[in-house]
């Protein structure tokens, strides 16, 4: 991968990660998160598009809640 494309991909992934982080911490709602993600420059390089942005947010929330549950229950799922 060319250096410019690699840089653009990293920038897009970091920007998407920041929006997802705000969403997971309930700083923004789902619609705001979707709108912000879709406005990110080169978001397609982060493998996010209008067809899968809902899934990206859903699975990020599922993963986040799963990890939080393990912390609260000493690593044991209940």
């Amino acid at each position: 991968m060319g250096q410019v494309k690699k840089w653009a991909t990293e920038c897009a992934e970091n920007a998407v990660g920041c929006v997802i982080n705000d969403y997971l911490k309930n700083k923004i709602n789902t619609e705001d998160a979707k709108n912000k993600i879709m406005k990110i420059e080169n978001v397609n390089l982060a493998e996010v598009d209008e067809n899968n942005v809902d899934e990206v947010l859903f699975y990020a929330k599922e993963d986040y809640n799963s990890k939080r549950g393990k912390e609260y229950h000493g690593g044991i799922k209940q």
Side-chain angles (χ1 to χ4, degrees):
M1 181 180 321
Q3 291 299 319
V4 174
K5 185 175 181 182
K6 182 177 178 182
W7 170 80
T9 301
E10 289 175 3
C11 289
E13 288 173 348
N14 288 338
V16 169
C18 288
V19 173
I20 289 174
N21 192 38
D22 286 346
Y23 170 68
L24 295 176
K25 293 182 178 181
N26 294 318
K27 293 181 180 178
I28 58 174
N29 63 28
T30 306
E31 283 304 311
D32 290 340
K34 288 185 345 186
N35 290 332
K36 286 184 177 193
I37 288 172
M38 294 314 302
K39 290 180 182 178
I40 293 172
E41 190 171 346
N42 298 317
V43 70
N44 59 324
L45 294 175
E47 299 182 10
V48 178
D49 60 28
E50 63 275 351
N51 296 320
N52 71 353
V53 68
D54 290 316
E55 291 176 31
V56 169
L57 293 171
F58 175 80
Y59 287 114
K61 184 72 99 171
E62 287 287 309
D63 187 48
Y64 179 74
N65 288 336
S66 171
K67 289 179 182 174
R68 283 185 56 213
K70 288 180 182 178
E71 289 174 10
Y72 291 144
H73 300 293
I76 300 171
K77 283 192 171 185
Q78 301 205 358

